[in-house]
Amino acid sequence: MSLNAEIADSLKFSEQQLSEYIINATREVFSTMVMMEPADDFPLKEPITHFKCSITGMVGFAGTYSGVISMHCPMYLAKKITGAMLGMDESEVEEGGEDLNDAIGEIANMLGGSVKMILSKGGLDVKLSIPTVIAGEDYTVNSLSDIDCVVIPFNVDGSERFLVGLTLKKEE
């Protein structure tokens, strides 16, 4: 497996490149693991960093590329996603419970693994961190900088929205 020449030659990523990575990874993970087909929307003009009654799963990249991929989801939708992923009724998923945190962390991990395979030569020159999950009534995530950052909103069932963000830079 060789590195995409366009990726290897660039030090910066275009909004279009980052958007494609996010959309392809999210569609793949959700269709195979969650049995949902989220619809993507246009990238947000400004990253959202403040969340209410939500949960965020993040995975960091280190090595040839550094950055973070994150999924931000309202708690009610996270419970629905977790139930679908684990074959449970969403009413069985406890807010703040282990199943919820594990599922959202695992989705972030799979999103990170998908992007890692696009960026690296067989995955050897990019390392992923373990997933981090943050949840709460009111919190801020500042890992989304304006440099090489794209946040894509996704809709499930036409109205329920979650965000996937990717901040990425090539180390010189």
Side-chain angles (χ1 to χ4, degrees):
M1 178 189 268
S2 64
L3 184 63
N4 179 322
E6 180 183 333
I7 295 170
D9 292 340
S10 70
L11 289 178
K12 291 186 62 68
F13 296 91
S14 71
E15 181 178 38
Q16 182 179 349
Q17 283 175 307
L18 293 178
S19 295
E20 286 176 18
Y21 301 160
I22 293 170
I23 291 166
N24 293 339
T26 304
R27 283 181 180 163
E28 179 183 340
V29 168
F30 271 75
S31 68
T32 59
M33 300 304 295
V34 187
M35 310 323 158
M36 291 180 177
E37 302 292 333
D40 57 277
D41 207 341
F42 293 106
L44 299 180
K45 297 277 186 222
E46 296 285 324
I48 294 175
T49 58
H50 193 121
F51 300 94
K52 290 184 178 288
C53 300
S54 295
I55 187 166
T56 297
M58 300 179 286
V59 172
F61 298 94
T64 305
Y65 300 91
S66 63
V68 174
I69 191 162
S70 54
M71 181 178 119
H72 311 278
C73 191
M75 193 58 72
Y76 69 88
L77 181 54
K79 290 171 73 173
K80 189 175 200 174
I81 290 168
T82 299
M85 186 174 174
L86 300 179
M88 301 166 61
D89 187 84
E90 64 186 89
S91 65
E92 297 176 83
V93 179
E94 288 182 44
E95 195 168 309
E98 230 176 270
D99 288 337
L100 183 71
N101 289 345
D102 288 350
I104 298 304
E106 186 54 32
I107 290 172
N109 193 47
M110 288 184 281
L111 292 171
S114 181
V115 172
K116 173 184 172 177
M117 291 309 294
I118 294 167
L119 297 174
S120 65
K121 297 175 181 172
L124 300 176
D125 54 351
V126 178
K127 305 286 185 259
L128 294 180
S129 72
I130 60 170
T132 300
V133 176
I134 301 166
E137 296 292 320
D138 190 6
Y139 63 95
T140 302
V141 177
N142 288 322
S143 67
L144 300 176
S145 69
D146 291 333
I147 302 168
D148 294 337
C149 175
V150 173
V151 179
I152 305 283
F154 288 88
N155 291 299
V156 179
D157 297 335
S159 64
E160 299 176 353
R161 184 173 105 154
F162 66 94
L163 306 173
V164 178
L166 178 59
T167 303
L168 198 60
K169 73 175 191 173
K170 186 173 182 179
E171 298 300 320
E172 298 180 45

